[in-house]
Amino acid sequence: MNTKNLKLNTICTHIGEVADNVYKGAVSPIYTSTSYAYENIDEKRYPRYFNTPNQQALAKKLAALEHAEAALIFGSGMAAVSTSLLAFLGAGDHVVLQKVLYGGTYNFVVEELERFGIEYSFTEGLSKNDFEKAIKSNTKVIFVETPSNPLLSITDLKMVASLAKKHQLVSMIDNTFASPVNQNPIDFGIDVVIHSATKYLGGHSDILAGAVCASEENIEKIFSLGKNLGGNLSDYTVWLLERSIKTLGIRVKAQNRNAKKLAKYFSKNEAIAKVYYPGLKTHPDYELAREQMNGFGGMVSFELKGDIDPLQFTNALELIKPSMSLAGVESTIVSPTKTSHALLTAEERAHQGINDCLLRLSVGIEDKRDLIADFEQAISKVKANSILI
Ligand SMILES: *Cc1c(COP(=O)(O)O)cnc(C)c1O
């Protein structure tokens, strides 16, 4: 069978399975060995070399999902981000990063790069001009994240890929928020696709992992640094991640549907001042999102009106739990000013359009009617309380 043309859910379920030739079991056996007899001294199998049977099997599945030639699985999303960046940057080089980034990536850049002699610039905005202005003669890498956290702005992938070609840069994307179900950046010419597998790929809030997908050549570069840094994932967790990804397609599609329904519900709700969802026609990047995404994702942000206290509101929710992380099958909510963006100054937050009334919802797979009912009861509860006071 030609596995090249398999569709999403078939890739999720089957690609990269480790055959159980002895017992004919339905799922991949786990290989936990740290010692493998070698036939050739140059082909040693060892977990830190990213080449155990389970690692190789999962890498195959991820590469297929991202339309890439190859992939590597890491112990965390940040191991994937940091190893990828350092693999292409050395002393005297410069990296351009988009303005709004995941907090951990931002921290890695501002806290670590300088002592390796690596320069960096953040763009002013997300336009071609903003990126072009930041590119210098020693720039080697351009790094983007789309949709962005928490306002879900969209960066133009074709534009970034063409700038990278023109200036001979390696283009990298953190594709965590979209997941491979909703966005395949390699199709638009992006070189390196990074995931925090802790989020949609894992999907059940019980795995910390990362992944990088790229051409054989770029993966080889990331591998040669990765084996020295030692950021591989344990084979037990690799196996669990393989299992989780079997349902990635159906989970993310359910999350897309729920998120769209909730975004529409929020748009009509009197207690809500503003909704951010790239699948709403009112979103400034709606057309761009339609062009480069297969679905609009499971993240929705919104601003409550001034008379509703966001903390009281979050506490009044019963089904939807406050949580820092995202992308699990359960819906969670978070205040970006209190968490991911707490380290920025109030001025910088205001510049990015993030205020205290903003909440970011990670939509799960629950029945949308129950999620809406939870919002309704929380809004009524908070309103009733404020009348009593
Ligand atoms: C969570 C996250 C990361 C970091 O992943 P870890 O698995 O926590 O190391 C990177 N990028 C984005 C967009 C994330 O949401």
Side-chain angles (χ1 to χ4, degrees):
M1 191 173 176
N2 180 3
T3 55
K4 271 228 146 59
N5 298 323
L6 292 179
K7 304 290 185 285
L8 175 72
N9 286 329
T10 317
I11 295 172
C12 286
T13 324
H14 289 297
I15 290 289
E17 287 168 304
V18 183
D20 175 0
N21 292 328
V22 180
Y23 296 106
K24 315 283 181 210
V27 305
S28 300
I30 312 182
Y31 289 87
T32 57
S33 293
T34 54
S35 175
Y36 291 86
Y38 55 80
E39 284 161 30
N40 174 344
I41 187 69
D42 294 329
E43 286 169 21
K44 295 184 293 282
R45 227 185 250 285
Y46 190 55
R48 186 163 49 74
Y49 294 167
F50 298 85
N51 64 1
T52 60
N54 293 95
Q55 284 174 309
Q56 287 182 330
L58 182 57
K60 219 169 177 185
K61 197 192 286 293
L62 277 163
L65 282 169
E66 278 298 9
H67 309 168
E69 287 174 7
L72 291 173
I73 317 300
F74 284 88
S76 71
M78 281 315 301
V81 168
S82 58
T83 309
S84 301
L85 280 171
L86 292 177
F88 292 93
L89 292 166
D93 293 339
H94 174 256
V95 51
V96 170
L97 304 108
Q98 86 172 42
K99 179 178 81 164
V100 186
L101 281 181
Y102 173 72
T105 306
Y106 177 83
N107 292 347
F108 170 70
V109 168
V110 301
E111 291 172 11
E112 310 296 343
L113 290 190
E114 207 177 313
R115 63 201 177 88
F116 293 105
I118 301 165
E119 296 171 34
Y120 57 87
S121 308
F122 294 101
T123 63
E124 289 263 321
L126 301 179
S127 74
K128 181 175 179 198
N129 193 33
D130 289 318
F131 280 98
E132 197 132 47
K133 262 197 329 213
I135 296 172
K136 306 207 276 184
S137 58
N138 57 339
T139 306
K140 292 284 156 52
V141 171
I142 184 166
F143 189 102
V144 302
E145 183 179 322
T146 179
S148 72
N149 178 22
L151 298 182
L152 307 166
S153 0
I154 308 296
T155 309
D156 186 338
L157 294 178
K158 265 196 201 138
M159 176 274 285
V160 171
S162 80
L163 272 186
K165 270 217 176 70
K166 182 172 156 198
H167 297 271
Q168 295 184 305
L169 317 176
V170 176
S171 53
M172 295 187 187
I173 181 175
D174 184 331
N175 202 32
T176 301
F177 265 41
S179 90
V181 178
N182 289 327
Q183 185 166 275
N184 299 120
I186 286 172
D187 295 350
F188 296 88
I190 299 291
D191 298 311
V192 177
V193 178
I194 301 168
H195 284 279
S196 167
T198 312
K199 313 298 165 49
Y200 287 105
L201 295 173
H204 296 72
S205 310
D206 55 6
I207 290 173
L208 191 89
V212 179
C213 307
S215 64
E216 299 267 8
E217 189 187 346
N218 284 334
I219 286 295
E220 187 56 36
K221 287 206 177 97
I222 299 166
F223 162 73
S224 65
L225 176 65
K227 72 177 192 310
N228 292 336
L229 292 180
N232 66 284
L233 185 66
S234 141
D235 281 292
Y236 294 102
T237 318
V238 167
W239 180 87
L240 196 54
L241 188 55
E242 182 201 337
R243 192 186 73 164
S244 299
I245 295 176
K246 291 185 185 190
T247 57
L248 176 74
I250 55 174
R251 275 190 279 114
V252 171
K253 284 186 175 168
Q255 285 165 307
N256 287 347
R257 281 194 299 276
N258 271 353
K260 197 163 188 181
K261 274 277 178 321
L262 283 170
K264 284 189 174 156
Y265 158 78
F266 293 147
S267 307
K268 292 190 201 118
N269 195 303
E270 283 183 1
I272 288 170
K274 218 167 175 184
V275 186
Y276 298 89
Y277 186 65
L280 288 180
K281 292 205 173 82
T282 50
H283 190 287
D285 302 326
Y286 170 73
E287 282 302 329
L288 182 56
R290 247 175 46 136
E291 273 171 38
Q292 64 186 38
M293 298 182 78
N294 310 316
F296 297 108
M299 306 299 295
V300 185
S301 293
F302 60 91
E303 271 172 35
L304 290 165
K305 286 213 174 128
D307 58 336
I308 299 179
D309 178 68
L311 186 63
Q312 280 185 25
F313 171 76
T314 316
N315 289 340
L317 290 166
E318 290 171 6
L319 209 55
I320 301 162
K321 296 285 186 297
S323 160
M324 272 286 276
S325 201
L326 58 110
V329 289
E330 66 286 341
S331 297
T332 58
I333 196 159
V334 79
S335 157
T337 56
K338 299 272 180 333
T339 55
S340 54
H341 294 67
L343 291 178
L344 299 181
T345 61
E347 198 183 13
E348 181 52 33
R349 280 200 294 265
H351 179 64
Q352 294 193 11
I354 299 164
N355 64 39
D356 286 339
C357 298
L358 183 74
L359 292 172
R360 188 199 73 195
L361 178 69
S362 168
V363 183
I365 63 166
E366 302 95 336
D367 192 303
K368 59 182 182 287
R369 291 166 295 191
D370 294 327
L371 295 173
I372 289 173
D374 198 20
F375 276 101
E376 295 275 329
Q377 70 77 23
I379 289 167
S380 321
K381 205 187 285 170
V382 176
K383 281 196 165 162
N385 281 348
S386 63
I387 289 164
L388 286 177
I389 295 160

